[in-house]
Amino acid sequence: MSSIIQLLPDHVANQIAAGEVVQRPASVVKELLENAVDADATDIKLIVKDAGKSLIQVIDNGKGMNVTDARLCFERHATSKIRKAEDLFELHTKGFRGEALASIAAIAHVELKTKQEQEELGTQIIIEGSKLVSQDVAVTPKGTSFSVKNLFFNIPARRNFLKSEIIEFRHIIDEFQRVALAHPKIHFAFYHNGNEVCVLPASNLRQRIVALFAGKTNEKLVPASEETDILKVEGFVGKPEFAKKNRGEQFFFVNDRYIKSGYLHHAIMNAYEGLLREGTQPSYFLYLTVPTNTIDINIHPTKTEVKFDDEQALYAILRATVKHSLGQFNVAPILDFDRDANLDTPYHYKNAEASYPTIQVDGNFNPFSEEGSKPKKDSSKIYSQRKQESASWESLYVGLKDDTDSLIEIGGMHFEYDEEKATLFDDEEAEKDIKKTYQIQKKYIVNPIKSGMIIVDQQRAHQRILYEQFLTNMTVEHAACQQLLFPLHLYFSKNEIHLITELQLSLTNTGFQFEPNQDDHIVITGLPSNVTDAQVNLIFEQLLGDLHDGIPSSSFSQNDTIAKSMAKSLCVKSGVSLTEKEQENIVDGLFACKEPNVSPFQKPTFITMSVEDLDKKFAL
């Protein structure tokens, strides 16, 4: 009987490994940039075409490789970083498994040019799908140049699963930012489709953060630093007033390696407790240095998840460091129990002279006289004046009949009634005086109907109303716009500016008018008619947060996403007190919608309760 277990060929094994290492073009960018950093490069250039689908090229001025190393680097588990298993706990470099280049070469056309400083000529190697096509001598500068073309050319299923060019390009930007933030002393340049995306000269950490995220990032940052035997913390945290809806500006680096850690993130959020608006996230750029033998980074293929020996101690130190930093720079409130604020003298009264009140005394005042000291008036004039006043109001009752038939006596008191209006709600005018809507707990609107009542969720109902309004405006490309006397300047990172520029047409159809004429901010000259100046920043923050995973490819999906995001930002929130007129407008507007039953996020907007349902509640 033949064996059913067989060894896989190398090219098949490499393709399987590539499924873990290379998930998208951004994965290739990460591996090649980290290899350039490990080669002690001081100048790294990234060139990308078609969001990495056609070309990813990384050029560095590092140490380079000789002929033997250039050939061996494409073999599986061939690495210069470790020699034995114990070296896994003394890692000081990025890559160490020796799988990246072999996996990339298995699913793309790869061209390698490399030369060491002491050599006169370099080496050029071309590999297609793990097959060596050529190996020649080449004239090339010191360092290494990796060109990866036609990614996933031999795995069409994987290529079809790639997202749109906009989404893939955003993932590349994310990986580029993580490597550039971890190494501020290295010069980076990034080009896409022949256009310069950003050039980052060698600088310090603060300058690198500002260069990447632009805008007013510098004034948002608060330095944080602490050094203990088990942990050294350096970096910056954002001021609470600049907190955003999304988590785009949150970075942890451990030993110059970007990581993700929900546990450490919770420590940061704990330090900000009581300082953040609800639903907002702080910015932080924190660099942790720990002994290499107390961390395990070999637990995830992308090495973004790590394991610490003593997580609780790191949690406590990190939380205390951030809290101390916020308090040290007067960001967090400070309580002084030794000072009574009620005894403080207001600033504008500090040097002012006291003013003494003036006292007026009437020397002729006699409390025993009837008139006192008041001047006597002519009694005849007073009597005639009172007579005229009484005549004026008595004339209003001239012609009225004295009819006591409509008076009834209850408990010794007389009440007047009208038999024609004695029945409740029979008169149309009386019905108009009845309150039609009621608000419960500042969250629900109750409206009586013939069969019972309806209970409307004010937030979801308003979301549905605004959603259909914005979607209609974007569909017909006609929205009311109010021009601003003083334009608004909103600052964003380059990545966010790129996103907003892609959505400019759709946002213009909602009523916005702006020009992204700068690298770090946009100038808004017009707003939708139902948007105020104070809401603009909130709208764009919410929109950028909702588009964190990328912009939909179709125009309808883009419009739908924008309409949902703006409806979420501008709707009446739960907990807001509404006037009777506002309640009626929401109810009427909801049932004028095409789909009043659900919100834009497919949640019910109202429920109905019939009289029969109420009777059952009271049944014994």
Side-chain angles (χ1 to χ4, degrees), residues 184-215:
K185 297 183 186 285
I186 298 178
H187 179 280
F188 286 92
F190 184 12
Y191 301 91
H192 181 236
N193 291 339
N195 300 318
E196 177 185 301
V197 178
C198 64
V199 174
L200 306 173
S203 58
N204 58 34
L205 178 57
R206 190 177 196 122
Q207 291 172 338
R208 177 57 55 87
I209 295 173
V210 174
L212 276 172
F213 295 95

Side-chain angles (χ1 to χ4, degrees), residues 102-299:
S103 300
I104 294 171
I107 55 174
H109 298 165
V110 178
E111 180 183 0
L112 167 64
K113 292 182 180 180
T114 183
K115 184 179 84 72
Q116 294 181 328
E117 186 175 10
Q118 66 273 15
E119 301 291 337
E120 294 184 1
L121 296 175
T123 303
Q124 180 183 22
I125 295 178
I126 298 177
I127 296 180
E128 297 180 358
S130 296
K131 296 180 180 179
L132 179 63
V133 176
S134 65
Q135 178 175 343
D136 301 312
V137 176
V139 177
T140 182
K142 173 206 169 187
T144 304
S145 170
F146 266 103
S147 298
V148 179
K149 304 175 183 178
N150 303 323
L151 192 64
F152 300 123
F153 79 99
N154 53 355
I155 311 179
R158 177 62 66 89
R159 190 176 181 91
N160 293 334
F161 272 101
L162 293 178
K163 303 296 183 181
S164 65
E165 184 173 324
I166 297 174
I167 298 177
E168 296 298 340
F169 181 63
R170 285 199 60 193
H171 285 287
I172 292 176
I173 291 179
D174 290 340
E175 294 295 345
F176 176 81
Q177 287 178 347
R178 293 166 184 173
V179 178
L181 283 172
H183 304 279
K185 297 183 186 285
I186 298 178
H187 179 280
F188 286 92
F190 184 12
Y191 301 91
H192 181 236
N193 291 339
N195 300 318
E196 177 185 301
V197 178
C198 64
V199 174
L200 306 173
S203 58
N204 58 34
L205 178 57
R206 190 177 196 122
Q207 291 172 338
R208 177 57 55 87
I209 295 173
V210 174
L212 276 172
F213 295 95
K216 297 184 178 180
T217 307
N218 189 36
E219 65 184 60
K220 304 176 186 178
L221 300 179
V222 174
S225 62
E226 186 64 50
E227 186 171 0
T228 65
D229 294 338
I230 61 175
L231 174 66
K232 178 182 178 182
V233 181
E234 292 180 326
F236 299 90
V237 295
K239 296 179 181 178
E241 59 266 30
F242 294 104
K244 295 184 176 182
K245 290 283 186 181
N246 58 4
R247 299 176 58 175
E249 297 180 4
Q250 296 180 347
F251 295 88
F252 277 121
F253 298 92
V254 175
N255 296 352
D256 292 335
R257 182 190 301 275
Y258 171 79
I259 68 162
K260 297 178 181 178
S261 175
Y263 188 69
L264 297 182
H265 173 74
H266 189 271
I268 303 296
M269 297 302 294
N270 202 339
Y272 276 92
E273 185 177 4
L275 300 177
L276 298 174
R277 302 188 307 273
E278 184 179 358
T280 59
Q281 295 282 335
S283 301
Y284 55 79
F285 306 85
L286 294 175
Y287 297 75
L288 314 181
T289 303
V290 298
T292 54
N293 59 353
T294 63
I295 183 175
D296 183 7
I297 59 178
N298 193 29
I299 62 174

Side-chain angles (χ1 to χ4, degrees), residues 379-557:
S379 59
S380 60
K381 292 183 178 180
I382 296 175
Y383 175 76
S384 60
Q385 182 178 358
R386 288 178 178 175
K387 187 175 182 180
Q388 292 176 0
E389 292 176 355
S390 62
S392 61
W393 62 263
E394 287 176 353
S395 62
L396 298 174
Y397 294 89
V398 176
L400 293 178
K401 63 179 180 179
D402 185 13
D403 188 2
T404 58
D405 296 339
S406 61
L407 294 177
I408 61 174
E409 183 176 351
I410 300 177
M413 300 182 66
H414 291 80
F415 295 89
E416 184 177 359
Y417 75 98
D418 190 345
E419 293 181 356
E420 296 179 356
K421 298 183 179 181
T423 58
L424 190 62
F425 301 149
D426 286 347
D427 189 85
E428 294 182 359
E429 294 297 329
E431 289 184 357
K432 292 182 180 178
D433 295 336
I434 302 172
K435 190 173 183 181
K436 293 183 178 181
T437 59
Y438 302 86
Q439 191 180 24
I440 300 178
Q441 297 294 324
K442 298 181 181 180
K443 185 176 182 180
Y444 300 107
I445 301 173
V446 179
N447 188 30
I449 55 178
K450 286 185 178 181
S451 61
M453 64 179 176
I454 61 171
I455 304 175
V456 179
D457 187 309
Q458 65 185 37
Q459 179 170 334
R460 295 179 183 177
H462 201 211
Q463 284 178 352
R464 165 55 63 178
I465 296 169
L466 294 175
Y467 169 74
E468 292 199 4
Q469 288 179 357
F470 288 128
L471 202 60
T472 302
N473 291 338
M474 286 186 284
T475 303
V476 300
E477 299 183 359
H478 179 71
C481 177
Q482 54 181 348
Q483 297 297 316
L484 296 178
L485 184 61
F486 301 101
L488 297 177
H489 295 260
L490 299 183
Y491 291 83
F492 301 99
S493 66
K494 293 182 179 179
N495 190 17
E496 293 171 338
I497 289 289
H498 177 76
L499 274 177
I500 295 173
T501 304
E502 294 289 337
L503 298 172
Q504 183 171 3
L505 179 59
S506 298
L507 290 173
T508 301
N509 292 333
T510 63
F512 283 101
Q513 287 187 2
F514 63 92
E515 287 296 332
N517 53 359
Q518 302 291 335
D519 291 336
D520 59 350
H521 72 280
I522 62 174
V523 181
I524 298 180
T525 58
L527 299 176
S529 57
N530 57 344
V531 176
T532 62
D533 296 4
Q535 296 173 321
V536 177
N537 200 32
L538 177 64
I539 291 173
F540 276 90
E541 282 188 10
Q542 182 69 57
L543 180 60
L544 292 171
D546 293 337
L547 294 173
H548 181 67
D549 294 331
I551 302 176
S553 55
S554 65
S555 60
F556 175 78
S557 298

